[in-house]
Amino acid sequence: MPELHLTTCFYLWQAPCCGKLYVCRLCHDAEENHQMDRFKVREVQCCECQTVQQAQQTCQQCHVQFGEYYCDICHLFDKDKKQYHCQDCGICRIGPKEKYFHCVKCNLCLAQDLRGNHKCVENVSRQNCPVCMEDIHTSRIGAHVLPCGHLLHKTCFDDMVRTGAYRCPLCMHSVWNMEDHWDQIDKEIAQSPMPTEYQGATVKIICNDCQAHCTVPFHVLGMKCSGCGSYNTAQEGGLIQHKVPKKWYLITLLE
């Protein structure tokens, strides 16, 4: 879930670190050589009457509303988007709240349809996105939960898919159901026999999807896991050549 940020401004934050006025912490951080701690913000200036006052939802002087939504913990103002403050995440989230739950182990708010239906990775949102290496937990960009439990920014996941990548950048597990693709590789391998000198050759592999170690037939188009049927595998060591029986080899030459 993305963190909530303001869209329309009727106020300016007074930065507790330097005393300067900014519309948001991101604008402050882009201009200054230090970062603003928004949780320490105590005062705002009304853009209508320029009154500097305690951070609150409505101007004490001209009564203009700074935002339909206001959080007195994060000091965030915005239009009403059914926001809520998650005490465990420590930040505001876009709701509605009843559609999300906080996974204690992942330490992240997730959609209700993922309750009991996702692989937990401890404090997963506190890690940076493995594609862009930017923060996920407080990002304005939504997070995509992979089957392995790791997180990517939704935009990074979409970019990855467009390039044809199908593995998690962290653990190499397939990021969606690949059964149709594996069936297609089966057909291509059946139609593309290896040259005689490689027929019967095997290789040791590890499967990135089920973690099985097995010895399987070698093929340049892919090595299929004998455990789960995945072609998302990695080769361990070189080819294991099997001697062709001399009688069979002579028959082959005659043919």
PDB file of all heavy atoms in Angstrom, residues 2-3 8 19 58 62 76 131 140 146-147 151 153 157 184 207 215 229 234 254:
ATOM      1  N   PRO A   2       0.484   2.268  -0.802  1.00  0.00           N
ATOM      2  CA  PRO A   2       1.271   3.493  -0.817  1.00  0.00           C
ATOM      3  C   PRO A   2       1.008   4.333   0.418  1.00  0.00           C
ATOM      4  O   PRO A   2      -0.070   4.283   1.002  1.00  0.00           O
ATOM      5  CB  PRO A   2       0.763   4.202  -2.072  1.00  0.00           C
ATOM      6  CG  PRO A   2      -0.632   3.716  -2.232  1.00  0.00           C
ATOM      7  CD  PRO A   2      -0.624   2.280  -1.761  1.00  0.00           C
ATOM      8  N   GLU A   3       2.000   5.110   0.796  1.00  0.00           N
ATOM      9  CA  GLU A   3       1.803   6.069   1.869  1.00  0.00           C
ATOM     10  C   GLU A   3       1.013   7.239   1.308  1.00  0.00           C
ATOM     11  O   GLU A   3       1.092   7.572   0.127  1.00  0.00           O
ATOM     12  CB  GLU A   3       3.158   6.562   2.388  1.00  0.00           C
ATOM     13  CG  GLU A   3       3.043   7.557   3.522  1.00  0.00           C
ATOM     14  CD  GLU A   3       4.336   8.309   3.754  1.00  0.00           C
ATOM     15  OE1 GLU A   3       5.279   8.090   2.986  1.00  0.00           O
ATOM     16  OE2 GLU A   3       4.370   9.127   4.693  1.00  0.00           O
ATOM     17  N   THR A   8      -3.395  19.045  -2.589  1.00  0.00           N
ATOM     18  CA  THR A   8      -3.708  20.460  -2.687  1.00  0.00           C
ATOM     19  C   THR A   8      -3.293  21.142  -1.406  1.00  0.00           C
ATOM     20  O   THR A   8      -3.551  20.639  -0.312  1.00  0.00           O
ATOM     21  CB  THR A   8      -5.221  20.656  -2.919  1.00  0.00           C
ATOM     22  OG1 THR A   8      -5.604  19.931  -4.091  1.00  0.00           O
ATOM     23  CG2 THR A   8      -5.531  22.130  -3.103  1.00  0.00           C
ATOM     24  N   GLY A  19      13.306  25.832  10.461  1.00  0.00           N
ATOM     25  CA  GLY A  19      12.356  26.921  10.602  1.00  0.00           C
ATOM     26  C   GLY A  19      11.787  27.447   9.307  1.00  0.00           C
ATOM     27  O   GLY A  19      10.949  28.357   9.298  1.00  0.00           O
ATOM     28  N   THR A  58      -8.016  23.046  10.760  1.00  0.00           N
ATOM     29  CA  THR A  58      -8.649  24.281  10.315  1.00  0.00           C
ATOM     30  C   THR A  58      -7.901  25.495  10.865  1.00  0.00           C
ATOM     31  O   THR A  58      -7.472  25.494  12.030  1.00  0.00           O
ATOM     32  CB  THR A  58     -10.115  24.333  10.782  1.00  0.00           C
ATOM     33  OG1 THR A  58     -10.795  23.170  10.300  1.00  0.00           O
ATOM     34  CG2 THR A  58     -10.816  25.571  10.247  1.00  0.00           C
ATOM     35  N   CYS A  62      -8.736  32.347  10.029  1.00  0.00           N
ATOM     36  CA  CYS A  62      -9.719  32.556   8.957  1.00  0.00           C
ATOM     37  C   CYS A  62     -10.616  31.341   8.727  1.00  0.00           C
ATOM     38  O   CYS A  62     -11.490  31.364   7.863  1.00  0.00           O
ATOM     39  CB  CYS A  62      -9.021  32.954   7.660  1.00  0.00           C
ATOM     40  SG  CYS A  62      -8.009  31.627   6.944  1.00  0.00           S
ATOM     41  N   LEU A  76      -0.301  15.112   8.254  1.00  0.00           N
ATOM     42  CA  LEU A  76      -0.623  15.048   6.836  1.00  0.00           C
ATOM     43  C   LEU A  76      -2.016  15.603   6.600  1.00  0.00           C
ATOM     44  O   LEU A  76      -2.938  15.342   7.373  1.00  0.00           O
ATOM     45  CB  LEU A  76      -0.554  13.598   6.333  1.00  0.00           C
ATOM     46  CG  LEU A  76       0.830  12.963   6.260  1.00  0.00           C
ATOM     47  CD1 LEU A  76       0.726  11.529   5.800  1.00  0.00           C
ATOM     48  CD2 LEU A  76       1.744  13.746   5.328  1.00  0.00           C
ATOM     49  N   VAL A 131      14.511  -3.599  -7.297  1.00  0.00           N
ATOM     50  CA  VAL A 131      14.680  -3.136  -8.683  1.00  0.00           C
ATOM     51  C   VAL A 131      15.276  -1.732  -8.717  1.00  0.00           C
ATOM     52  O   VAL A 131      16.306  -1.491  -9.339  1.00  0.00           O
ATOM     53  CB  VAL A 131      13.339  -3.168  -9.444  1.00  0.00           C
ATOM     54  CG1 VAL A 131      13.509  -2.577 -10.851  1.00  0.00           C
ATOM     55  CG2 VAL A 131      12.817  -4.594  -9.539  1.00  0.00           C
ATOM     56  N   ARG A 140       5.247   6.641  -2.092  1.00  0.00           N
ATOM     57  CA  ARG A 140       3.953   7.037  -2.643  1.00  0.00           C
ATOM     58  C   ARG A 140       3.492   6.051  -3.706  1.00  0.00           C
ATOM     59  O   ARG A 140       2.356   6.088  -4.154  1.00  0.00           O
ATOM     60  CB  ARG A 140       4.056   8.437  -3.252  1.00  0.00           C
ATOM     61  CG  ARG A 140       4.230   9.536  -2.218  1.00  0.00           C
ATOM     62  CD  ARG A 140       4.491  10.874  -2.876  1.00  0.00           C
ATOM     63  NE  ARG A 140       5.794  10.910  -3.510  1.00  0.00           N
ATOM     64  CZ  ARG A 140       6.230  11.924  -4.258  1.00  0.00           C
ATOM     65  NH1 ARG A 140       5.454  12.961  -4.475  1.00  0.00           N
ATOM     66  NH2 ARG A 140       7.429  11.887  -4.789  1.00  0.00           N
ATOM     67  N   LEU A 146       4.886 -10.403  -4.170  1.00  0.00           N
ATOM     68  CA  LEU A 146       5.193 -11.572  -5.008  1.00  0.00           C
ATOM     69  C   LEU A 146       4.809 -12.862  -4.267  1.00  0.00           C
ATOM     70  O   LEU A 146       4.685 -12.866  -3.043  1.00  0.00           O
ATOM     71  CB  LEU A 146       6.683 -11.598  -5.350  1.00  0.00           C
ATOM     72  CG  LEU A 146       7.228 -10.375  -6.086  1.00  0.00           C
ATOM     73  CD1 LEU A 146       8.722 -10.544  -6.341  1.00  0.00           C
ATOM     74  CD2 LEU A 146       6.495 -10.158  -7.401  1.00  0.00           C
ATOM     75  N   PRO A 147       4.620 -13.963  -4.997  1.00  0.00           N
ATOM     76  CA  PRO A 147       4.275 -15.239  -4.345  1.00  0.00           C
ATOM     77  C   PRO A 147       5.299 -15.680  -3.296  1.00  0.00           C
ATOM     78  O   PRO A 147       4.942 -16.353  -2.324  1.00  0.00           O
ATOM     79  CB  PRO A 147       4.234 -16.228  -5.518  1.00  0.00           C
ATOM     80  CG  PRO A 147       3.910 -15.393  -6.709  1.00  0.00           C
ATOM     81  CD  PRO A 147       4.606 -14.077  -6.470  1.00  0.00           C
ATOM     82  N   LEU A 151       8.637  -7.878  -1.806  1.00  0.00           N
ATOM     83  CA  LEU A 151       7.906  -6.727  -2.329  1.00  0.00           C
ATOM     84  C   LEU A 151       8.703  -5.987  -3.395  1.00  0.00           C
ATOM     85  O   LEU A 151       9.927  -5.897  -3.312  1.00  0.00           O
ATOM     86  CB  LEU A 151       7.589  -5.732  -1.205  1.00  0.00           C
ATOM     87  CG  LEU A 151       6.702  -6.184  -0.048  1.00  0.00           C
ATOM     88  CD1 LEU A 151       6.515  -5.021   0.913  1.00  0.00           C
ATOM     89  CD2 LEU A 151       5.361  -6.671  -0.548  1.00  0.00           C
ATOM     90  N   HIS A 153       8.047  -2.238  -5.922  1.00  0.00           N
ATOM     91  CA  HIS A 153       7.119  -1.186  -6.302  1.00  0.00           C
ATOM     92  C   HIS A 153       6.270  -1.707  -7.459  1.00  0.00           C
ATOM     93  O   HIS A 153       6.772  -2.410  -8.341  1.00  0.00           O
ATOM     94  CB  HIS A 153       7.871   0.072  -6.761  1.00  0.00           C
ATOM     95  CG  HIS A 153       8.506   0.824  -5.645  1.00  0.00           C
ATOM     96  ND1 HIS A 153       9.847   1.133  -5.636  1.00  0.00           N
ATOM     97  CD2 HIS A 153       7.988   1.332  -4.489  1.00  0.00           C
ATOM     98  CE1 HIS A 153      10.126   1.807  -4.538  1.00  0.00           C
ATOM     99  NE2 HIS A 153       9.020   1.935  -3.828  1.00  0.00           N
ATOM    100  N   PHE A 157       7.574  -3.585 -10.835  1.00  0.00           N
ATOM    101  CA  PHE A 157       7.098  -4.909 -11.248  1.00  0.00           C
ATOM    102  C   PHE A 157       6.589  -4.865 -12.684  1.00  0.00           C
ATOM    103  O   PHE A 157       6.907  -5.742 -13.502  1.00  0.00           O
ATOM    104  CB  PHE A 157       5.999  -5.390 -10.315  1.00  0.00           C
ATOM    105  CG  PHE A 157       5.356  -6.683 -10.735  1.00  0.00           C
ATOM    106  CD1 PHE A 157       6.004  -7.894 -10.540  1.00  0.00           C
ATOM    107  CD2 PHE A 157       4.108  -6.694 -11.344  1.00  0.00           C
ATOM    108  CE1 PHE A 157       5.432  -9.091 -10.937  1.00  0.00           C
ATOM    109  CE2 PHE A 157       3.518  -7.880 -11.744  1.00  0.00           C
ATOM    110  CZ  PHE A 157       4.180  -9.081 -11.542  1.00  0.00           C
ATOM    111  N   GLN A 184       4.698 -24.898 -23.025  1.00  0.00           N
ATOM    112  CA  GLN A 184       5.211 -24.478 -24.331  1.00  0.00           C
ATOM    113  C   GLN A 184       6.653 -24.934 -24.520  1.00  0.00           C
ATOM    114  O   GLN A 184       7.038 -25.399 -25.601  1.00  0.00           O
ATOM    115  CB  GLN A 184       5.115 -22.956 -24.463  1.00  0.00           C
ATOM    116  CG  GLN A 184       5.564 -22.399 -25.811  1.00  0.00           C
ATOM    117  CD  GLN A 184       4.755 -22.926 -26.967  1.00  0.00           C
ATOM    118  OE1 GLN A 184       3.542 -23.129 -26.852  1.00  0.00           O
ATOM    119  NE2 GLN A 184       5.413 -23.174 -28.098  1.00  0.00           N
ATOM    120  N   CYS A 207      16.284 -26.191  -8.460  1.00  0.00           N
ATOM    121  CA  CYS A 207      15.060 -25.516  -8.896  1.00  0.00           C
ATOM    122  C   CYS A 207      14.834 -24.264  -8.056  1.00  0.00           C
ATOM    123  O   CYS A 207      14.832 -24.325  -6.828  1.00  0.00           O
ATOM    124  CB  CYS A 207      13.860 -26.460  -8.758  1.00  0.00           C
ATOM    125  SG  CYS A 207      12.293 -25.692  -9.227  1.00  0.00           S
ATOM    126  N   THR A 215      18.969 -34.515 -10.889  1.00  0.00           N
ATOM    127  CA  THR A 215      19.723 -34.751 -12.122  1.00  0.00           C
ATOM    128  C   THR A 215      18.724 -35.006 -13.234  1.00  0.00           C
ATOM    129  O   THR A 215      17.877 -35.892 -13.134  1.00  0.00           O
ATOM    130  CB  THR A 215      20.666 -35.958 -11.969  1.00  0.00           C
ATOM    131  OG1 THR A 215      21.567 -35.709 -10.874  1.00  0.00           O
ATOM    132  CG2 THR A 215      21.464 -36.179 -13.238  1.00  0.00           C
ATOM    133  N   GLY A 229       8.254 -29.653 -12.017  1.00  0.00           N
ATOM    134  CA  GLY A 229       7.999 -29.432 -13.432  1.00  0.00           C
ATOM    135  C   GLY A 229       8.382 -28.050 -13.927  1.00  0.00           C
ATOM    136  O   GLY A 229       8.109 -27.687 -15.081  1.00  0.00           O
ATOM    137  N   ALA A 234      18.600 -23.715 -12.276  1.00  0.00           N
ATOM    138  CA  ALA A 234      19.991 -23.300 -12.474  1.00  0.00           C
ATOM    139  C   ALA A 234      20.882 -24.539 -12.489  1.00  0.00           C
ATOM    140  O   ALA A 234      20.696 -25.456 -11.693  1.00  0.00           O
ATOM    141  CB  ALA A 234      20.422 -22.351 -11.367  1.00  0.00           C
ATOM    142  N   LEU A 254      25.470 -46.711 -39.522  1.00  0.00           N
ATOM    143  CA  LEU A 254      24.959 -47.396 -40.726  1.00  0.00           C
ATOM    144  C   LEU A 254      23.684 -46.741 -41.233  1.00  0.00           C
ATOM    145  O   LEU A 254      23.437 -46.665 -42.413  1.00  0.00           O
ATOM    146  CB  LEU A 254      24.707 -48.870 -40.377  1.00  0.00           C
ATOM    147  CG  LEU A 254      25.977 -49.720 -40.142  1.00  0.00           C
ATOM    148  CD1 LEU A 254      25.589 -51.108 -39.660  1.00  0.00           C
ATOM    149  CD2 LEU A 254      26.796 -49.810 -41.438  1.00  0.00           C
TER     150      LEU A 254
END
